[in-house]
Structure formats: structure tokens, C-alpha cells
Amino acid sequence: METIKNSFKHDFNLAVDCFNKKDYTSFFRNIRPAIELLCKLVIYDIIKNDVISADIMEGRKSIQKGRDNIFFIDTRPTSRKPTGSIFTAIFPRVYFMHHPDVYSAREDVHKKRLKFSIESYSSELCRWYSFASEFGSHTGGSTMQEEEQARGCATCIPGFLDFLKGNAIISTETVEFLNGLQSFSFNSVREKELNQVKNQIDIANKTIDEKEAALMVAKKQLAEVEEQHLASQVRTSEVETLLAEKQREIEELRELLNKSHIMETPTTEEEEIPEIPIVYKPKREKHLKERMRLAVEDWDLDEESLDDDQLDLIDITIDQSMLVTGCAGSGKSVIAMHKAEQIAKKGNSVILISLTRSLNSFMQTGRSCSSYMFYHYHYWKYLGMPSADYIIVDEIQDFEREEIEEFIEAAAKHYFFFGDSAQSIYNHFGKKTLSIEEIADMTGLVPLKLYNNYRLPRNVAKITQDYVGVNVMRYEEKVYQNKEKELPHFIHFETVDEQINKIIEISSSNPEMSIGVLLPSNQQVIEVCEKLKSKDFDYEFKFKTEAQDKRAQGELHFTNNLPKVMTYHSAKGLQFDIVIIPMFEGANTEEARKALYVAMTRTMHQLYLMYNTLNLASPLDKVPPRLYKKN
């Protein structure tokens, strides 16, 4: 343990020193191993047995969750030695193994909050570790401003340390060790304001009444500054609680000031506290105002915007499990989130699970309720498949029988599944996924159907339903509610470089629209990214390397409108104002057609399909020319 302490202290203090010197590249290089070492330190401190701790570190043993939701030490070795971000998922398991009452808490609000916070910090540490790893080996394409990201990470780590200390998760000895670490220096306008307001509390040489008045005003201003500071942090349950308490304090002080007829001295325009900055920003200053509009700004969780079919699903009582099916764009994800909020507000624990990290990130932009957990599938597995009263799963058609059984087992009360067989595209990778019909047979549930489509323009739907999709409904105009009239564009180019120039032209002409650049393979994603990079063009990307055991490269953030470059498969569940499909060479198998169907049905307004083959390839060669534009 002493070796871990010394290594952590070295890397952490070096990261702090780099941050304070504004050397953010070196900061990320050092904070990555510091996060791993911090998690190891917590594991050692909780277990208090060097031999067992070392066995877990080396993979000779592991922490598993039994069917009774109790964590235990499995003496069988793991398939490979744990490394990197895996330790951010191990430390919660270790804590829950020693405190099973916290993990299984139902009525104890404090324990439920503690469990939620531990899982939230685990998720955040994993995210920052992954970002630091990506940042350290990045080859271009990241559009996030170094300083803003470094500040976000530097806010999270001390917050986690304070959480460990304040909740007695670690020993007194380790607390004393952590207290001896260096501190981050932000020197932000908000902190300067905070110090100025605090100084007002010590105003001297005034009458008693004047001092009391100044003190009350200063307290309110201090609370407002602290409120903004809390609002800028990662929204854990602890932060939400502190924020609510601070807002109540401000309201009470405001009422006292009104009753006492004390007037606050108005601040000048220069003195006003600036708005909380948006985290993700492009590298080039000229794009800041153009691209920072939220990519998904309308999730329509307001019941007034829902149709009768959707309202019927919401009105169904939560005392039974549910299987919901609907075409691409029918609002399945919206209903899944609405049901999660509805159930959580009734005091039940809820976990919402999406298949991919990208879909999880996309749906998070529309999340308005913080009282339920939201994971992508693989992270839920890393956490030991935590259970809840209700398990809600989106894109259920992309899971195998064993995985679906895991969801059912994790649901203490009921489970809600949402999916569409027409979008099942992972059998190509060896997965034996189940159709909605097969899931219905397996669970005994009668599928509840959503019929209307709100995303897909009618002119695109005519092509996807009648010429591309496999086992999909034929096009019926009454189903499609999107009034977009523009025909899709199927454009021939002589070279791929010409297609790249067209992508840049479309993006530059539509700065306020979200854009997805979708390709059939990871290699083509890499090729497009390299060409965009050579033209100094801002974008975000996601792809996987050939080695299947490596994590996806790149990361997509849906709090901006920078073009997102990814594969058809990565786009599952997403939607964009404009979809661009370059380098199209045909989709001749059933699986390829399903993937193309997924890609084309991501658009809400415009579709551009580009090719440099001699002729438009199958299945689009069968589409009548009157249904699309050729230039």
C-alpha cells in the first residue's frame, strides 16, 4: 500500500503542478495513472488486507455479485489482469462487499444517496480516465478545448476526495495522507467573486445596524456565488442535494431582506458573474458561436406533445412488465425516458440501460430527472449488473437471450423493453440476438406497438420502407408526421476527395444543424477522418481499431453541433438534422441492407448519399429517379 501511496502522490502532485502552470497536455498525461492509483488506494484501504488486495489487483481473484445481490470474493482468476479504468469499477464492488446494507438499501434515504454517489463517481472517474487516455494519444479530431476539459477533471477529483473523507469511506490514516496533497488553483472569476463576497462579511467601522445589513446582503451574494459554482459541477446526488439546500438558503435570505427593507447595491455590468461556460468547445475560436447550440434540443417529454399511442403507454400502470415495439423514429427512447422518470417519482429505484456509450450520451442530453441511474450496457456489466426495482432497456433487439435474462434477473419488480426487429444489425458480428417476436415468446409479454413516425421525412421513408429495409412495413403516408419536403440527394462524384469537400460544404452551410457522417466500416471512418483532419476541419469521431479487445477511439458529445463521423452501427438510436452517407458502394446482403436502413433512418430533415462507383449500387439502383435528387 505504501508503494501505491508514494506513486499516487507523485503522479497526482505532478498533475496538479502541471494544471496550475496551465500545461494541460502534461496534466492529462499524469492524471490518468493518478486516477488508477487512487482507485487502487481506496481498494487497499477498504479491504485492509494486503494479500487479498494484491490478488484482486493482479486478477488472481475478483469481486463478483451473487444472485442474492451480495458481493463476494471469487477465488477463480480473471481472464486477464485488470488494468486502467477497470479499477474505477472495482472499488465500488469492494465497498458494497463490505457494506451490503448500503447496496441493498430500500428505505434508508442516506444509504441510497451514498450508493448513488459511489456509482456516480465511479462512472465519472472512468470517463475522465478514458478521456485522459484518448487525449494523451490523440491524433486529431478532438474538438474540446484543453483548458475547459482540464478544469472539469480537476473539479471532479478533489470532489471525489472530499466525498471519501466526508462519508468515512476511507481510514483516518488515509485521510491524513490525502490532506497532504497539493491543491488545484483555478483562479477563476467565480472564485474571485467568492473571495470578494467573503471579505464583505468582515466589513468594519460601521454601526451595528449597518453591519447586520451588510452581513445579510453578503451572505445572500455568497450563497448565490456558491449556487452557481455547484451548478457547474458534475450532477451527482450529493451535488443535487447541496444545490437544493443552497437555493432554499437564498430564498430565505431574500425574504429576510424584503421584510427588513434592506436594499442590495446593484452590481455593474463588469462585476456580474459570468454564465457557466459550456464544457465542449471547438479548437478554433471562429466556430464557437456557430456550433455550440445543443444538438438535441427537443426531446418532447411534455405529455402535451405525445400522440395517443404514446400516451397509452405512459398511462399503463407500472405494476406489470412491458415490451414495446415501433419503427425507427416512433419515439421509443422518449417513452423509455418518460417511464423512467414516472417510476422514479413514485419512489422506486430505476436503471435505464442503452446498448452503446454513444446512445447513452445522446439520450443523456434529454434527461431531465436525476433520480434514476442511466448506464450503457457494458458499463452496467462492469459495475456487477446492479439491480433496481425497475430495469428499462432501449434497443432490446440487439441483445442475446443470456443478456436479456440478466436484465430480468436484475429487476426486483418489473422490466420494460423497447425495440424494433427491423433494426437488429449485430448478427453480422456473431451475436445471436432475439427478434421482438422471440422476446415476446421468451417473456410471455404481448408487444405494445407504436405506429407513428416523427423523425423520418416522407420522401426518405418512401425509399427506406419500399427499397432498403428488411421485413419492414410498406410505406404508408399517414404514418409519417414529419412535414419535411426536400428530396434526398444521391450524388455521384469522381473521387472520394470531392465527397470530402462536399461534406465540408454542407457542414459549413448549416452551422446550426446537427450532422451525422455515417460509413459502413471503421476503416472508412478512419479514412474520412484523416482527410477531414488534413483540411483542418472540426469534427468528432468514433471508431474501433482492428483489435477487438481495444476500446473505441474518439468520443461523441451531443452538447454541440460539430459533425459526428462514425459507422452505421455506432449510429444506432441516434438522430441528426442532416445525415451524410459518403463512399456508398452497395448493400447486397440482408445484414448490409439492415445497416443501411439504420443509417438512412437517422435523418430528421436532409439526406445526402454519395458514391464514386460507375452506377448507383444495389439496393438503391432500384429506386425510381423521381424519388431523389442527383446533384
Side-chain angles (χ1 to χ4, degrees):
M1 184 170 179
E2 288 303 316
T3 301
I4 291 177
K5 278 186 176 180
N6 293 333
S7 298
F8 169 65
K9 184 176 182 179
H10 173 269
D11 290 340
F12 181 81
N13 285 345
L14 192 56
V16 171
D17 187 55
C18 293
F19 178 88
N20 293 344
K21 291 178 179 178
K22 299 187 176 181
D23 181 359
Y24 301 120
T25 300
S26 297
F27 162 75
F28 280 115
R29 189 178 300 125
N30 289 286
I31 202 64
R32 182 184 62 82
I35 291 173
E36 178 179 345
L37 289 165
L38 174 58
C39 293
K40 289 181 176 180
L41 176 61
V42 174
I43 292 168
Y44 264 95
D45 190 80
I46 294 174
I47 293 178
K48 294 181 173 58
N49 184 307
D50 288 355
V51 175
I52 295 176
S53 299
D55 285 343
I56 292 172
M57 302 296 177
E58 296 298 320
R60 293 188 290 269
K61 296 178 180 178
S62 63
I63 308 294
Q64 299 295 335
K65 188 181 73 169
R67 292 183 178 274
D68 54 359
N69 285 333
I70 300 296
F71 288 88
F72 65 96
I73 294 179
D74 189 338
T75 57
R76 294 172 297 178
T78 58
S79 58
R80 58 180 179 174
K81 179 181 175 180
T83 58
S85 62
I86 293 178
F87 289 104
T88 66
I90 293 177
F91 88 79
R93 300 186 195 183
V94 171
Y95 183 82
F96 293 140
M97 181 179 68
H98 284 77
H99 301 275
D101 56 319
V102 172
Y103 187 80
S104 60
R106 294 283 186 219
E107 305 300 331
D108 191 316
V109 176
H110 173 72
K111 289 180 180 178
K112 288 176 67 175
R113 185 179 299 156
L114 182 60
K115 175 178 180 285
F116 183 88
S117 297
I118 289 172
E119 291 174 338
S120 295
Y121 271 118
S122 171
S123 177
E124 283 303 300
L125 289 173
C126 180
R127 185 170 73 88
W128 284 119
Y129 182 94
S130 299
F131 179 82
S133 299
E134 174 191 332
F135 192 91
S137 60
H138 210 267
T139 57
S142 175
T143 56
M144 296 174 286
Q145 203 174 64
E146 289 183 25
E147 181 175 356
E148 296 294 345
Q149 292 305 307
R151 283 177 177 272
C153 184
T155 299
C156 175
I157 306 300
F160 177 58
L161 298 181
D162 289 341
F163 170 76
L164 295 175
K165 300 172 190 176
N167 290 277
I169 290 175
I170 51 179
S171 64
T172 303
E173 180 185 354
T174 302
V175 169
E176 291 176 357
F177 164 73
L178 295 177
N179 287 338
L181 299 173
Q182 294 184 27
S183 301
F184 291 102
S185 176
F186 294 92
N187 295 320
S188 66
V189 175
R190 186 176 294 108
E191 287 177 304
K192 290 179 181 178
E193 285 285 336
L194 188 61
N195 291 330
Q196 291 173 2
V197 173
K198 286 179 177 177
N199 289 336
Q200 291 181 32
I201 297 176
D202 299 322
I203 295 173
N205 301 320
K206 290 190 175 188
T207 66
I208 297 298
D209 290 340
E210 288 174 327
K211 283 183 179 180
E212 289 179 353
L215 180 63
M216 196 176 298
V217 170
K219 280 184 176 180
K220 177 175 176 293
Q221 292 176 348
L222 175 59
E224 289 172 343
V225 173
E226 291 175 337
E227 178 196 24
Q228 290 207 21
H229 179 65
L230 285 168
S232 68
Q233 296 185 34
V234 176
R235 292 301 185 87
T236 65
S237 61
E238 183 182 19
V239 170
E240 292 284 358
T241 300
L242 292 172
L243 185 59
E245 291 174 354
K246 192 59 60 180
Q247 290 168 343
R248 284 195 296 272
E249 180 185 344
I250 292 170
E251 189 59 35
E252 290 171 359
L253 287 168
R254 183 178 290 118
E255 291 179 4
L256 286 173
L257 288 170
N258 290 337
K259 290 178 181 178
S260 304
H261 305 290
I262 297 173
M263 298 297 293
E264 297 182 67
T265 304
T267 57
T268 64
E269 187 172 334
E270 290 75 15
E271 294 173 330
E272 289 181 354
I273 299 171
E275 292 182 0
I276 299 166
I278 299 175
V279 175
Y280 304 113
K281 294 185 178 181
K283 292 180 290 186
R284 300 200 297 277
E285 189 69 24
K286 68 178 182 179
H287 283 168
L288 289 180
K289 293 183 179 179
E290 292 180 344
R291 288 294 185 190
M292 292 317 300
R293 185 183 67 82
L294 195 65
V296 186
E297 62 176 12
D298 185 9
W299 273 90
D300 282 338
L301 290 185
D302 179 3
E303 292 192 12
E304 293 181 0
S305 65
L306 304 177
D307 66 22
D308 290 341
D309 294 332
Q310 294 170 328
L311 287 171
D312 286 343
L313 291 179
I314 293 171
D315 290 340
I316 292 176
T317 59
I318 61 174
D319 59 358
Q320 57 185 335
S321 296
M322 184 186 300
L323 175 61
V324 179
T325 181
C327 60
S330 59
K332 296 184 297 297
S333 297
V334 172
I335 300 301
M337 294 174 68
H338 199 123
K339 294 300 290 187
E341 292 191 13
Q342 179 190 50
I343 295 168
K345 287 177 180 178
K346 292 182 179 294
N348 297 286
S349 59
V350 185
I351 293 178
L352 176 58
I353 299 171
S354 62
L355 174 63
T356 65
R357 185 175 180 179
S358 296
L359 180 56
N360 179 272
S361 177
F362 177 72
M363 292 175 70
Q364 289 276 12
T365 62
R367 182 182 181 185
S368 61
C369 175
S370 61
S371 58
Y372 63 88
M373 301 302 297
F374 197 171
Y375 302 123
H376 62 86
Y377 174 69
H378 295 291
Y379 190 66
W380 180 70
K381 289 277 285 188
Y382 267 134
L383 292 176
M385 298 184 291
S387 60
D389 294 333
Y390 290 79
I391 299 293
I392 301 178
V393 185
D394 197 23
E395 304 289 351
I396 192 64
Q397 79 282 345
D398 289 323
F399 292 97
E400 298 180 299
R401 179 179 294 274
E402 182 180 344
E403 295 167 335
I404 296 172
E405 289 173 347
E406 291 171 350
F407 300 140
I408 295 173
E409 184 177 335
K413 293 183 179 178
H414 298 291
Y415 51 88
F416 294 168
F417 295 155
F418 295 79
D420 174 18
S421 296
Q423 297 182 68
S424 179
I425 60 174
Y426 286 97
N427 288 330
H428 176 69
F429 297 100
K431 291 195 72 174
K432 297 180 180 179
T433 59
L434 301 185
S435 67
I436 296 299
E437 294 73 22
E438 289 171 325
I439 296 172
D441 290 339
M442 169 186 173
T443 60
L445 297 175
V446 176
L448 304 173
K449 296 184 179 180
L450 291 169
Y451 293 97
N452 290 331
N453 186 303
Y454 294 92
R455 177 197 304 147
L456 204 58
R458 291 174 177 176
N459 289 323
V460 176
K462 290 174 185 177
I463 296 173
T464 59
Q465 302 308 117
D466 290 348
Y467 299 95
V468 178
V470 177
N471 296 325
V472 300
M473 293 189 304
R474 299 285 296 178
Y475 174 76
E476 292 185 43
E477 188 162 326
K478 65 180 180 180
V479 169
Y480 297 89
Q481 309 301 312
N482 187 333
K483 306 302 181 185
E484 177 66 57
K485 295 181 179 180
E486 184 170 346
L487 290 172
H489 302 253
F490 294 176
I491 312 175
H492 178 266
F493 291 93
E494 294 297 327
T495 66
V496 172
D497 285 339
E498 290 180 357
Q499 297 182 41
I500 298 300
N501 291 335
K502 185 64 175 180
I503 292 172
I504 295 174
E505 176 190 326
I506 294 169
S507 177
S508 300
S509 301
N510 299 277
E512 294 187 355
M513 302 185 81
S514 58
I515 298 175
V517 182
L518 312 182
L519 296 120
S521 73
N522 288 295
Q523 188 55 46
Q524 288 170 306
V525 171
I526 295 171
E527 182 179 349
V528 168
C529 286
E530 288 175 345
K531 290 181 178 295
L532 290 173
K533 178 188 173 185
S534 69
K535 295 180 179 294
D536 195 29
F537 181 72
D538 275 323
Y539 62 96
E540 291 182 350
F541 66 88
K542 180 182 178 182
F543 62 83
K544 282 191 176 182
T545 58
E546 291 301 320
Q548 293 300 310
D549 59 340
K550 293 185 178 180
R551 66 181 293 273
Q553 303 297 309
E555 192 165 1
L556 307 175
H557 303 95
F558 297 95
T559 50
N560 64 54
N561 272 335
L562 290 164
K564 311 288 189 280
V565 187
M566 71 192 86
T567 63
Y568 298 168
H569 290 78
S570 292
K572 277 292 298 290
L574 308 184
Q575 65 183 29
F576 301 94
D577 292 319
I578 300 174
V579 165
I580 303 174
I581 301 177
M583 303 170 68
F584 178 72
E585 297 178 350
N588 298 311
T589 67
E590 182 174 303
E591 289 299 318
R593 284 179 59 186
K594 283 186 174 183
L596 177 63
Y597 175 82
V598 166
M600 294 179 70
T601 57
R602 298 309 95 197
T603 184
M604 294 185 289
H605 297 290
Q606 299 173 33
L607 174 65
Y608 291 85
L609 186 137
M610 307 173 183
Y611 63 100
N612 60 319
T613 53
L614 185 60
N615 298 302
L616 185 59
S618 175
L620 299 181
D621 58 338
K622 304 293 193 299
V623 178
R626 61 182 171 79
L627 295 182
Y628 60 89
K629 292 182 179 180
K630 297 182 180 181
N631 52 45

